Amino acid sequence: MPRASGPLAEALARGAVLLDGGLSNQLADQGCDLSGDLWSGRVLAEHPDQVAAAHTAYARAGAEVLITASYQVGYEAFAAHGHDRAETTALLRRSVRLAARAAEAADHDVWVAASVGPYGAVLADGSEYRGRYGLSVRELAAFHRPRIEALLAAGPDALAVETIPDTDEAEALLTVLAETGAPAWLSYTVAGGRTRAGQPLGEAFARAAAAPEVIAVGVNCCDPAEVLPALEAAAAVTAKPLLAYPNDGSVWNAATRTWHTPETPAPWPTRAWYTTGARLVGGCCRIGPERITALGALLPDRPR
């Protein structure tokens, strides 16, 4: 079947759309080795069948949007591991094709969102949770532009501009999106009611919401307790659909490459998220297919 019957933006106007969960944790559960700086990108390069299987697991769990395995794929990082520019471009395009294959095999509408992770992700040092890399907006745009162009050439339904830690990087990405005209969502990672770089959320969301290419704004890869206040800040500055896909509340330690899990998991008040405007809802790191199925059962306006 066609992977989706219309644009994602139109589906969001009708009601809630269920995102997938964390790709890395699903790959790990399948026995994949995610050690090293390339993380899930290494699996994309060496074992694409495992990436396809992970996407299929989420589609079978009811996910209506599959996010590609391109989050940590960058030209500079892959060059350091022996991949030339053409090979990296091929990997970016492969990530879209693998998700599309799983989407087309599903028994319901499934959109493919090409992941555009932050500059900090390719550094593999936890920088995406800090931002402020010391690069200019122009330099950040130059970093993201070829990745976005390669992903768009493979034909995703939208771009998932995700885990963005500060407004400087958001501005760079919005510049590139304006050049392409491609539909995208823009999602910040937040802590303490601000961006990871410490900027006010109202300002951050307003910048993203002003771009005609942006079909939804919100947060991801954050503590679930951060979601509702962030959505309220977004709703105060935009009428666009909002999005939320937090992790399980764990904190990533880049030095030890381990997650520190809270003793008491934070609740997921998904109805309150929906009431505030969230229409694109799912999970990020450490949220697997079973949680996505359960989450889908809680969202209003589903199934279609």
Side-chain angles (χ1 to χ4, degrees), residues 25-287:
N25 49 267
Q26 179 59 24
L27 291 173
D29 287 347
Q30 292 172 192
C32 298
D33 182 2
L34 275 71
S35 63
D37 293 347
L38 300 183
W39 197 44
S40 58
R42 173 183 171 187
V43 183
L44 175 66
E46 298 176 359
H47 302 287
D49 57 318
Q50 292 288 348
V51 174
H55 288 317
T56 297
Y58 281 116
R60 289 175 176 167
E64 296 165 303
V65 180
L66 300 177
I67 302 175
T68 65
S70 49
Y71 175 84
Q72 203 152 3
V73 180
Y75 288 97
E76 296 82 358
F78 272 69
H81 288 267
H83 296 268
D84 64 25
R85 195 167 188 84
E87 290 171 335
T88 302
T89 295
L91 286 176
L92 288 164
R93 295 177 179 177
R94 173 191 287 179
S95 72
V96 177
R97 291 197 303 270
L98 292 172
R101 189 183 309 163
E104 290 160 4
D107 61 0
H108 58 279
D109 278 3
V110 179
W111 289 267
V112 172
S115 175
V116 180
Y119 174 80
V122 304
L123 301 180
D125 63 357
S127 295
E128 65 263 49
Y129 299 116
R130 298 190 299 271
R132 297 303 190 189
Y133 315 116
L135 300 180
S136 68
V137 170
R138 182 186 296 270
E139 289 170 323
L140 288 168
F143 167 80
H144 285 293
R145 186 174 289 110
R147 302 169 72 213
I148 288 175
E149 290 173 348
L151 289 167
L152 288 176
D157 297 297
L159 296 173
V161 179
E162 56 182 353
T163 325
I164 305 306
D166 66 47
T167 55
D168 285 350
E169 187 159 24
E171 183 178 346
L173 284 156
L174 292 170
T175 297
V176 180
L177 290 179
E179 297 167 0
T180 69
W185 75 69
L186 196 149
S187 182
Y188 291 97
T189 179
V190 299
R194 303 174 78 85
T195 69
R196 295 280 185 163
Q199 297 119 339
L201 290 184
E203 172 192 336
F205 289 128
R207 289 193 187 197
E213 297 78 19
V214 174
I215 61 174
V217 298
V219 294
N220 78 289
C221 210
C222 61
D223 191 302
E226 296 278 353
V227 171
L228 186 56
L231 293 179
E232 291 171 342
V237 296
T238 182
K240 287 188 178 183
L242 307 182
L243 64 94
Y245 52 116
N247 56 39
D248 68 346
S250 298
V251 176
W252 176 249
N253 185 319
T256 61
R257 303 186 69 83
T258 56
W259 288 98
H260 297 283
T261 305
E263 293 183 7
T264 304
W268 286 47
T270 51
R271 294 286 179 141
W273 298 352
Y274 178 87
T275 300
T276 307
R279 294 296 180 268
L280 196 55
V281 181
C284 201
C285 300
R286 300 169 65 83
I287 303 298

